[in-house]
Amino acid sequence: MGIVREVVEDYLEVEVDGVERELEVPLPRVPRAIAITGPRRAGKSFYMLQRFKRLLSQIPALYLPLDDDRLYPPTLDTLGELLEVFHEIHDERRGVLFLDEVQEVQKWELFVKRAVSLGHTVFVSGSSSKLLSREIATQLRGRGVSFELYPFSFREFLRAKSFEPGESLPKKARIKALLEEYLRWGGFPEVVLEKSELLKRKTLEGYVDLILYRDVVERFGVKNTRALRLLLRLIGSSFGREFSINRTARYMRGIGIEANRNTLSAYLEHLEDAYLVVRVKKLAPPRESEKALPKVYLIDTGLVRVFKENLELGRLMESVVLTELLRMGIRPYYLKTQRFEVDFVIREGDSYRLIQVTRSPEGDTLEREIKALGEASKLIPVHERTLITWDDEGEIGRVKLVPLWRWLLGVKP
């Protein structure tokens, strides 16, 4: 118990200073388990520590990072000792426990279930969307909820850069320059705060390797790492486009890599579970939607640097819009026919919101994007049509043109 208490007391004293994250997780009135999931290095540990320090003055709480080397390897006994330390320090029967990187402990969910039954609210964090959500749901039986934390939003990015947006011409010029940096390097906190472009790139490469091996190869026992890495590279070099598992399997066989459709399909699910990629399904009846090719994106535009040298600003814009929608808790579809394509379709009640993203809405491009939104409106009931641009704003017919920076900040002109 001495080591557990030592680690706990260290974090009772630690100072927390940094960008305030926007994720709102209300403290429940009755004991619950709350899972915070998201990509590695997106700031989950900092968020947990931030919440812990904020709550500490209001309610008994303890924070335990289970990846601390002093605890290695952490076990259920380690977690049991935490309860003893809690009672020693706070002399209370119940409070809030923060367990960072809880997946380091096998059968952690058994302890969390016990702690909740004793009256504690337990925050847990990890980098597997399905694992934490599934265990929280099955073991806690309705007494657990999950939230996702992604890399910095553009609002958080600007705060990290100590920039306050405004409507003056110099402010607008600066915000667009910062937006381009955000598009090209993404929102992982360490990358945002790093000044050296070489170190930014090396950091992102390290993230890919870390996530790939810790959260995919080790967790799922992947043997064919050559096929897994090639799959991710193919996604990274063509992100935002329809992705065919069958075509990819044929391509791999053609270059001597044995990987069938079922294997690659499982690998794609593992990559999504580890928050490296995101699939956007086609809007269609359920059976057709499941069979249709998904569009596949990387979770953060900075990761594109690992796979591509030539970055297309328009596709980066589309990817940033998707991640912002995910932050809002929205899982969009895309819509495509032989005549047109709409980037994102969002169901809201009995109708839909359409979002089209383009860098330069001029001439034929503008006409094509407006027409696509109009054609989609003939197929499904639509209550809002938005064309997100780099710089243009206004209204054409029933379509709103909104610059990307305004849309990301939620700023009205």
Side-chain angles (χ1 to χ4, degrees):
M1 188 163 66
I3 296 298
V4 173
R5 179 154 188 154
E6 177 185 318
V7 174
V8 163
E9 289 184 341
D10 281 351
Y11 284 92
L12 283 169
E13 300 298 326
V14 74
E15 295 292 329
V16 180
D17 185 29
V19 176
E20 188 80 11
R21 300 306 302 267
E22 294 179 337
L23 179 63
E24 292 289 342
V25 180
L27 195 65
R29 293 190 176 188
V30 297
R32 286 182 180 273
I34 299 172
I36 308 295
T37 64
R40 284 186 186 268
R41 315 311 299 169
K44 296 187 301 297
S45 296
F46 180 80
Y47 176 80
M48 294 270 283
L49 194 53
Q50 206 176 47
R51 285 300 305 271
F52 161 65
K53 298 298 285 190
R54 195 185 308 140
L55 277 177
L56 197 54
S57 61
Q58 309 166 29
I59 191 170
L62 288 184
Y63 172 89
L64 187 66
L66 290 157
D67 57 352
D68 190 296
D69 64 287
R70 291 170 290 180
L71 300 173
Y72 189 82
T75 64
L76 283 174
D77 288 338
T78 308
L79 296 177
E81 290 174 18
L82 178 64
L83 285 181
E84 296 180 41
V85 172
F86 179 89
H87 297 313
E88 288 179 4
I89 291 176
H90 291 299
D91 194 27
E92 297 277 354
R93 296 188 60 83
R94 60 187 64 181
V96 183
L97 304 176
F98 291 84
L99 305 178
D100 192 23
E101 293 300 337
V102 73
Q103 292 160 223
E104 296 291 333
V105 180
Q106 290 191 4
K107 301 293 183 180
W108 57 268
E109 64 275 10
L110 298 178
F111 169 80
V112 172
K113 182 181 180 181
R114 177 161 67 96
V116 170
S117 69
L118 291 173
H120 296 282
T121 284
V122 185
F123 282 74
V124 299
S125 75
S127 49
S128 168
S129 60
K130 291 180 182 175
L131 182 59
L132 260 70
S133 299
R134 182 182 67 238
E135 298 303 342
I136 287 289
T138 56
Q139 294 292 334
L140 275 297
R141 298 173 185 173
R143 299 178 71 185
V145 291
S146 297
F147 295 84
E148 292 179 308
L149 184 72
Y150 294 94
F152 280 164
S153 68
F154 187 50
R155 296 174 297 276
E156 293 167 331
F157 173 87
L158 292 182
R159 287 202 293 275
K161 297 290 184 179
S162 301
F163 178 79
E164 185 67 34
E167 292 291 333
S168 68
L169 288 177
K171 287 270 189 179
K172 286 183 179 179
R174 178 62 178 152
I175 202 171
K176 283 185 274 190
L178 287 169
L179 177 57
E180 187 163 350
E181 179 184 341
Y182 179 68
L183 289 171
R184 295 186 182 282
W185 289 106
F188 281 103
E190 289 176 351
V191 176
V192 170
L193 298 172
E194 177 56 59
K195 293 183 178 179
S196 164
E197 291 196 354
L198 175 61
L199 290 179
K200 285 177 184 281
R201 186 186 298 273
K202 290 293 184 183
T203 299
L204 289 164
E205 290 171 355
Y207 288 174
V208 170
D209 287 338
L210 175 66
I211 297 170
L212 203 60
Y213 284 99
R214 290 292 302 278
D215 295 329
V216 180
V217 174
E218 291 181 11
R219 181 173 297 151
F220 296 103
V222 171
K223 303 297 183 185
N224 193 347
T225 57
R226 188 181 176 198
L228 175 67
R229 291 194 70 93
L230 179 55
L231 174 66
L232 181 57
R233 189 161 73 245
L234 292 172
I235 291 170
S237 60
S238 62
F239 73 100
R241 292 177 177 157
E242 291 171 304
F243 191 82
S244 169
I245 288 291
N246 289 334
R247 192 158 53 240
T248 302
R250 288 196 297 271
Y251 168 72
M252 287 193 183
R253 285 197 299 271
I255 60 174
I257 299 177
E258 287 301 322
N260 61 37
R261 182 191 183 284
N262 290 339
T263 297
L264 293 180
S265 183
Y267 287 178
L268 182 56
E269 284 193 21
H270 299 339
L271 291 172
E272 189 167 27
D273 178 71
Y275 289 98
L276 264 177
V277 306
V278 182
R279 282 181 289 185
V280 176
K281 295 181 179 180
K282 183 178 181 181
L283 182 68
R287 289 186 180 180
E288 184 183 335
S289 180
E290 289 300 320
K291 292 180 180 179
L293 297 181
K295 291 170 69 174
V296 185
Y297 297 79
L298 296 173
I299 197 65
D300 182 82
T301 54
L303 297 176
V304 177
R305 290 271 182 177
V306 180
F307 306 101
K308 284 176 68 74
E309 287 297 328
N310 300 320
L311 305 180
E312 301 168 40
L313 202 61
R315 287 172 65 198
L316 295 178
M317 289 170 61
E318 186 178 325
S319 186
V320 160
V321 168
L322 171 61
T323 306
E324 184 63 19
L325 290 172
L326 296 177
R327 273 190 203 92
M328 299 175 189
I330 296 171
R331 284 272 173 176
Y333 295 89
Y334 77 94
L335 180 59
K336 185 176 182 179
T337 71
Q338 292 182 338
R339 301 190 312 276
F340 69 88
E341 180 174 349
V342 175
D343 296 325
F344 302 116
V345 181
I346 302 158
R347 184 192 294 273
E348 293 180 336
D350 294 329
S351 63
Y352 295 86
R353 177 156 56 107
L354 307 181
I355 296 178
Q356 197 78 312
V357 186
T358 183
R359 180 182 179 183
S360 303
E362 299 173 352
D364 292 343
T365 301
L366 176 60
E367 183 180 346
R368 183 180 66 247
E369 305 294 8
I370 296 292
K371 184 178 180 181
L373 294 170
E375 290 292 322
S377 301
K378 297 176 183 177
L379 296 180
I380 55 176
V382 174
H383 66 268
E384 184 177 302
R385 305 160 185 80
T386 302
L387 180 58
I388 297 177
T389 70
W390 178 253
D391 206 27
D392 297 76
E393 57 187 294
E395 207 162 318
I396 299 178
R398 300 175 67 184
V399 177
K400 296 177 183 177
L401 275 65
V402 183
L404 178 60
W405 69 268
R406 281 198 188 279
W407 187 84
L408 290 172
L409 297 181
V411 175
K412 294 184 179 180

